Amino acid sequence: MRKQIAAANWKMNMTFQQGEKLLDDILGVDIHLKEHQQVIFAVPFPYLLMTRSEVEDEFNYEVAAQNCYHKKSGAYTGEVSADMLHSTGVNYCIVGHSERREYFAETNAMLADKVNLCLENFITPIFCCGEALSIREANTQNDFVAQQLKESLFHLSAKQIKGIIVAYEPIWAIGTGKTATTGQAQEMHAHLRSVLAGQYGADVANEIPILYGGSVKANNAKELFSCPDVDGGLVGGASLVATDFVEIIKALK
Ligand code: PEP
């Protein structure tokens, strides 16, 4: 079975102490993940080591950075490289979240560089794609997301792309409380998988986890995750509440 993943994206929320308590509350609940299930906490940079030590003894719990820089190293004050993340034991990194694309002008070409640097440093990119409301209203979302994959991922070999997690996050659903319907989510995830299959073949495409992100909550996770091509979620707001995130983990297939 494909990996099923509940990934928490804390964004720029929580003090260190609040983060520690949140992790303690979540990890204090006895959830036995199955072999194919995984939980990933994408936390702010200063909390990565603390989070790594919190999950160290937990089966299939992992830590992710929320971003890395698109250059190897050098005079880029305030930035963090994939190599630095690797050297602290971080194995996952969100790449191309829509907030970074929008507020930090990250382009598909820059994201291709970030993906390369992550892979060179043994970090699995959680590659985000997704359309704005105007694109959905014009019904051009399928071409739009296909182009995002093409420009940031399709230079990779089949072996490399199998090391990627894709997250489909319609911008109109992020932090808005407006969730894609299961029909919309399944349709887009099947489309993404067929775009991946067109480039790499069906066997490769079938191995790549595609997460849904956009107002996943405790009360809608099970329905969303039940879609055949939805392999879990990338969760913002609801990942900051222990009881809610625990329910989301329990909703994994
Ligand atoms: C996100 O930040 O990736 C996200 C999907 O946020 P939310 O769950 O709050 O919509």
Side-chain angles (χ1 to χ4, degrees):
M1 187 173 192
R2 256 195 313 270
K3 266 217 167 98
Q4 303 293 308
I5 300 166
N9 177 12
W10 289 5
K11 311 193 188 193
M12 198 175 74
N13 291 300
M14 298 268 150
T15 62
F16 186 88
Q17 291 74 17
Q18 289 167 334
E20 257 184 330
K21 171 149 191 347
L22 177 61
L23 289 169
D24 286 342
D25 289 348
I26 293 168
L27 299 170
V29 180
D30 227 6
I31 307 174
H32 295 287
L33 296 179
K34 301 197 176 101
E35 190 73 38
H36 67 275
Q37 295 174 333
Q38 201 168 39
V39 173
I40 303 175
F41 294 102
V43 302
F45 289 130
Y47 310 168
L48 285 168
L49 289 186
M50 174 275 284
T51 307
R52 205 192 56 161
S53 80
E54 286 265 353
V55 302
E56 214 156 43
D57 298 328
E58 306 285 340
F59 178 67
N60 279 354
Y61 282 76
E62 303 285 348
V63 179
Q66 296 175 10
N67 180 39
C68 64
Y69 200 50
H70 62 283
K71 305 273 187 195
K72 249 190 168 84
S73 64
Y76 303 105
T77 303
E79 293 298 334
V80 173
S81 70
D83 177 42
M84 290 173 180
L85 293 175
H86 173 62
S87 71
T88 63
V90 171
N91 299 324
Y92 294 82
C93 183
I94 297 177
V95 172
H97 190 281
S98 60
E99 288 151 16
R100 300 231 34 112
R101 291 175 185 263
E102 187 180 345
Y103 306 135
F104 302 94
E106 294 192 354
T107 63
N108 289 340
M110 262 183 217
L111 300 177
D113 290 339
K114 291 192 188 205
V115 166
N116 292 342
L117 288 165
C118 282
L119 293 175
E120 275 169 30
N121 287 287
F122 312 99
I123 292 172
T124 301
I126 303 170
F127 178 79
C128 299
C129 61
E131 80 287 354
L133 184 60
S134 56
I135 292 170
R136 169 77 46 178
E137 283 173 348
N139 201 26
T140 53
Q141 66 274 11
N142 285 3
D143 288 347
F144 183 84
V145 294
Q147 196 63 18
Q148 288 182 317
L149 295 194
K150 199 170 155 194
E151 290 182 17
S152 298
L153 299 181
F154 281 8
H155 60 284
L156 300 176
S157 68
K159 188 167 173 240
Q160 286 174 314
I161 197 112
K162 284 202 267 183
I164 301 266
I165 297 167
V166 173
Y168 168 61
E169 298 209 307
I171 297 169
W172 46 270
I174 296 180
T176 58
K178 207 172 172 186
T179 317
T181 63
T182 49
Q184 285 171 323
Q186 172 54 27
E187 192 183 0
M188 178 55 88
H189 283 230
H191 169 64
L192 289 167
R193 208 175 295 289
S194 80
V195 171
L196 289 164
Q199 181 74 8
Y200 295 101
D203 288 351
V204 172
N206 278 330
E207 282 189 38
I208 299 173
I210 307 179
L211 316 185
Y212 168 79
S215 299
V216 174
K217 304 287 177 207
N219 63 8
N220 61 21
K222 202 160 189 93
E223 208 187 339
L224 284 161
F225 298 172
S226 71
C227 299
D229 285 292
V230 176
D231 304 312
L234 179 55
V235 186
S239 74
L240 302 174
V241 180
T243 47
D244 288 359
F245 194 59
V246 163
E247 286 311 304
I248 291 168
I249 298 171
K250 287 183 182 166
L252 287 173
K253 282 198 277 278

